[in-house]
Amino acid sequence: PYPFLHLINEKLYHSTIKIGSQDISSLESGAYTGEVVAESLIGIVDYAIVGHSERLSHFNESEDVIAKKCDRALKNHIRPILCVRNNSDVIYPSARLFAFEPVEAIGTDSNMPIEEVLKIRALLTLGAEQKFLYGGSVQPDNAAEYLSSLDVDGVLVGGASLKPQELFSIALAAKV
């Protein structure tokens, strides 16, 4: 959550661990009550999640808003992690990190089999410089399977990140 990002940043300042925000505003700096603009995150986060399915469903975010969020992040030296739900989602050429989050797996404790994930990854036709993450009910018992694939560059951990022991186990699987 935003209120804790600065504190986490202070604790991890000289660490190799990178920090990301759960979202970023599509607006430039200004008086936008409740919005967290990119300018306020400079020097605190390295990444920002953009286009998460929960933002799409609960806040009706459009492709235009997602594109603006990517642009705002990049203009402020924050790397957007663009979430995609399937191969029909827009792939912005400026984005370098993509998190595949199958809607049917989010928050269900039912992850997508690696074979299916790799089929979607192949359909996305990402460039060599673009990275692919899996994010759909990543748990300690399945993280290693995704992370051992040469075609999966990492995982986007959701609910398990709120449980310290589970997050630690996933980090061990990633050999952080």
Side-chain angles (χ1 to χ4, degrees):
Y2 290 113
F4 302 119
L5 289 175
H6 185 70
L7 297 169
I8 298 297
N9 182 289
E10 285 180 359
K11 296 284 185 192
L12 299 175
Y13 185 68
H14 294 291
S15 169
T16 58
I17 296 173
K18 304 295 182 192
I19 301 170
S21 65
Q22 295 175 335
D23 191 26
I24 194 167
S25 178
S26 62
L27 303 168
E28 292 187 32
S29 188
Y32 305 108
T33 302
E35 289 292 311
V36 179
V37 295
E39 290 84 350
S40 69
L41 296 172
I42 294 172
I44 298 173
V45 301
D46 302 287
Y47 302 94
I49 298 173
V50 175
H52 193 278
S53 63
E54 291 170 0
R55 300 289 310 176
L56 299 178
S57 63
H58 298 304
F59 298 97
N60 299 314
E61 288 187 354
S62 66
E63 287 298 335
D64 182 53
V65 168
I66 294 169
K68 287 178 181 175
K69 286 181 176 195
C70 283
D71 289 343
R72 296 297 319 143
L74 289 167
K75 286 178 184 171
N76 289 281
H77 310 288
I78 297 169
R79 295 164 67 185
I81 300 171
L82 180 62
C83 294
V84 294
R85 296 159 297 164
N86 54 52
N87 62 315
S88 64
D89 282 351
V90 176
I91 302 294
Y92 299 101
S94 60
R96 296 286 177 257
L97 284 166
F98 296 87
F100 171 53
E101 49 161 11
V103 177
E104 63 274 9
I106 297 172
T108 63
D109 290 333
S110 178
N111 60 306
M112 181 177 272
I114 186 71
E115 299 79 21
E116 296 299 315
V117 171
L118 296 178
K119 286 179 188 175
I120 296 293
R121 201 280 185 221
L123 292 172
L124 292 176
T125 60
L126 302 177
E129 72 286 349
Q130 295 172 315
K131 303 296 181 190
F132 178 83
L133 312 175
Y134 173 74
S137 293
V138 175
Q139 303 291 328
D141 63 341
N142 64 35
E145 182 177 22
Y146 298 109
L147 295 168
S148 65
S149 171
L150 296 177
D151 292 320
V152 177
D153 299 298
V155 291
L156 183 64
V157 183
S161 68
L162 300 174
K163 301 170 186 164
Q165 289 295 49
E166 288 187 22
L167 183 60
F168 183 71
S169 295
I170 293 169
L172 288 177
K175 297 180 177 86
V176 174

